[in-house]
Amino acid sequence: MPEIIAAIDEGAATTIFTTLAAGLPPQSSSGSSSFGPFTAAYAATATLSSPGTVDLIPPGTIRVADLRMDWHLHLSLSLDIGDFLPDIHIPQVCVHIPCVGDVCTPKIDIVWPTVTVPIDLSDYVKTTVDLGIAVTLVAGTWKVEGVVQGVPNLQFGLTTAAMLAVVGAAVAAAVAWVPLIGPFLAVLVAAVVAAIGVAGLTGLLDPILTPFISGTRFPVYAQPQLFTVLPAAGANDPAVTITLDTIAAEVQHNPPEDELVLSADISA
């Protein structure tokens, strides 16, 4: 039978996970990813801002509902305007005017450039995750952690239409300097947004943001395997030290509620 037993109910677990979420540092990643028909370089940051509510489910699941993560994503998109608008070639036209001679219009060639489009997206996601309970002894310290199981389903705060509107505005701002783009701007923006679409947006965001949550480990408990319970009181009264031989953690149903129970076997 364990010598030490400690237990917390769901209310206390919610309070603890609120503190744990607030103490987790921001996460970041960078790389490149498909964005519809484009390849975009990205830099992403994310912070857990609210752990929601905790439901303890025997024998070993901690369910966290409405877990919220705030995120910011900076994209750098290379846009070849010529992929969406045809190049314009207007030949020279000459008219002979008596007493004046030939009057010619200039030859006009418009070859659309490739531009870099910076896009900044910020939003939050909410999800419900199930945590498994992991107990490990690492470098002389017992650790109990809640580890996210599986890949959560992310629910975005903004609608995809709102985020696509942000993309469209960024494209319009990035190409505004291009000569003679004015009459074609609305067509270009609509074509780019349609090419990316909802599938392209979610296909970009899900693989970038999901690992921020699916890889999260919540540190529930940490204690050195050897620790002093009573300090030395003198030369003839040495410190009392015990060894935590084993640590176990599970969710138990102890009526009227479920509890997260930690138990330990010790030796002197």
Side-chain angles (χ1 to χ4, degrees):
M1 181 176 179
E3 285 86 0
I4 300 175
I5 297 177
I8 58 172
D9 61 14
E10 290 176 342
T14 297
T15 300
I16 290 174
F17 274 85
T18 298
T19 303
L20 292 176
L24 291 175
Q27 302 180 72
S28 62
S29 69
S30 60
S32 61
S33 181
S34 296
F35 191 25
F38 309 102
T39 297
Y42 70 86
T45 58
T47 304
L48 291 178
S49 59
S50 173
T53 57
V54 174
D55 181 18
L56 301 176
I57 304 173
T61 298
I62 304 171
R63 177 165 294 166
V64 183
D66 294 327
L67 180 68
R68 172 172 167 155
M69 181 180 72
D70 296 322
W71 59 269
H72 175 79
L73 182 65
H74 176 76
L75 298 170
S76 182
L77 178 70
S78 180
L79 171 62
D80 185 348
I81 300 176
D83 289 341
F84 296 90
L85 297 178
D87 293 339
I88 298 175
H89 301 283
I90 301 176
Q92 184 183 60
V93 177
C94 295
V95 177
H96 181 76
I97 300 176
C99 302
V100 175
D102 291 337
V103 176
C104 300
T105 61
K107 181 181 178 181
I108 299 175
D109 291 299
I110 300 177
V111 178
W112 302 113
T114 297
V115 299
T116 298
V117 181
I119 303 172
D120 286 283
L121 296 173
S122 295
D123 191 18
Y124 68 88
V125 293
K126 280 190 174 183
T127 188
T128 294
V129 296
D130 286 345
L131 309 180
I133 304 172
V135 180
T136 56
L137 178 60
V138 180
T141 298
W142 283 106
K143 294 183 177 182
V144 179
E145 297 174 300
V147 182
V148 175
Q149 305 294 300
V151 178
N153 179 36
L154 303 182
Q155 299 174 348
F156 291 92
L158 288 175
T159 64
T160 50
M163 283 190 276
L164 286 173
V166 173
V167 173
V171 171
V175 303
W177 63 270
V178 177
L180 302 179
I181 194 65
F184 309 101
L185 183 58
V187 174
L188 174 64
V189 170
V192 171
V193 170
I196 295 171
V198 173
L201 187 61
T202 56
L204 170 78
L205 295 176
D206 280 356
I208 294 175
L209 299 179
T210 297
F212 288 145
I213 294 179
S214 62
T216 299
R217 301 176 73 93
F218 292 87
V220 177
Y221 174 79
Q223 179 64 55
Q225 186 181 25
L226 299 174
F227 70 99
T228 300
V229 292
L230 290 174
N236 297 320
D237 192 2
V240 177
T241 301
I242 65 172
T243 300
L244 294 175
D245 297 316
T246 61
I247 293 285
E250 64 177 344
V251 177
Q252 298 178 0
H253 180 64
N254 297 318
E257 56 192 356
D258 298 318
E259 296 178 323
L260 175 59
V261 179
L262 303 183
S263 58
D265 291 321
I266 64 174
S267 60

